[in-house]
Amino acid sequence: LKQAGPHLHQNEPQRPSLASGPVPAMAGRLRLNVSAIAGDEVAAKFLVVVDEESDVVELRSKIDKTLRRSGLSAACAAVLNSSRAELPPDERVGDMLRDGEDIFAQLPVVPSKSPKPSNTAAAPGWVGVSAKATPPAPAASSTPQMSARLA
């Protein structure tokens, strides 16, 4: 049998075969799966494509732009890798992340002193994921009359 190899078709560019595995990454570009999180809740999920030479500041800018397009007014406070370690802003994205990797965009959480009414507009910086929160349960009283009623 004659072995197929690059010497048989020297003038043709080599094309990836679908049978050989996953489609190769775009040259110099990273596709990153972003989960925008506020506290422990996921506010949004989306894909961003960045140049592997970009730094984290440029990645955050692209994440912020996508968040605004999604209708979220919060800005990305930090970019975290899949282990939830914060990425340093001055490093190249291609040195820390790989194509297809899952990352997290940490959004600021606005502490609320009282439950937010469901019929009002969101305050600036409000992420919206806390709107599902239920009011805190009434605290158990230490008086004997209340304890007797609860028992």
Side-chain angles (χ1 to χ4, degrees):
L1 283 174
K2 202 173 203 180
Q3 190 176 22
H7 62 280
L8 294 177
H9 304 285
Q10 291 178 356
N11 294 336
E12 289 183 29
Q14 287 192 343
R15 295 182 201 133
S17 166
L18 292 177
S20 66
V23 178
M26 299 181 300
R29 309 282 281 170
L30 299 175
R31 296 165 291 197
L32 301 170
N33 302 304
V34 181
S35 293
I37 56 173
D40 291 333
E41 296 201 35
V42 176
K45 286 188 171 195
F46 50 90
L47 178 81
V48 293
V49 180
V50 294
D51 184 41
E52 64 184 13
E53 298 293 321
S54 299
D55 59 21
V56 176
V57 173
E58 292 173 72
L59 173 59
R60 282 177 62 178
S61 173
K62 206 158 205 189
I63 289 171
D64 286 343
K65 183 177 177 182
T66 305
L67 287 169
R68 282 191 304 275
R69 274 194 247 148
S70 299
L72 295 173
S73 61
C76 177
V79 179
L80 313 174
N81 66 11
S82 59
S83 299
R84 304 245 177 159
E86 186 173 350
L87 302 180
D90 58 343
E91 292 292 329
R92 286 183 26 189
V93 175
D95 290 342
M96 298 179 287
L97 302 171
R98 299 290 165 247
D99 185 51
E101 193 162 344
D102 295 327
I103 62 170
F104 298 94
Q106 181 70 54
L107 305 179
V109 177
V110 178
S112 175
K113 291 187 175 42
S114 62
K116 180 180 175 290
S118 60
N119 61 352
T120 60
W126 183 265
V127 176
V129 294
S130 296
K132 297 180 204 170
T134 57
S141 173
S142 61
T143 61
Q145 293 92 5
M146 278 303 271
S147 298
R149 279 190 217 149
L150 294 175

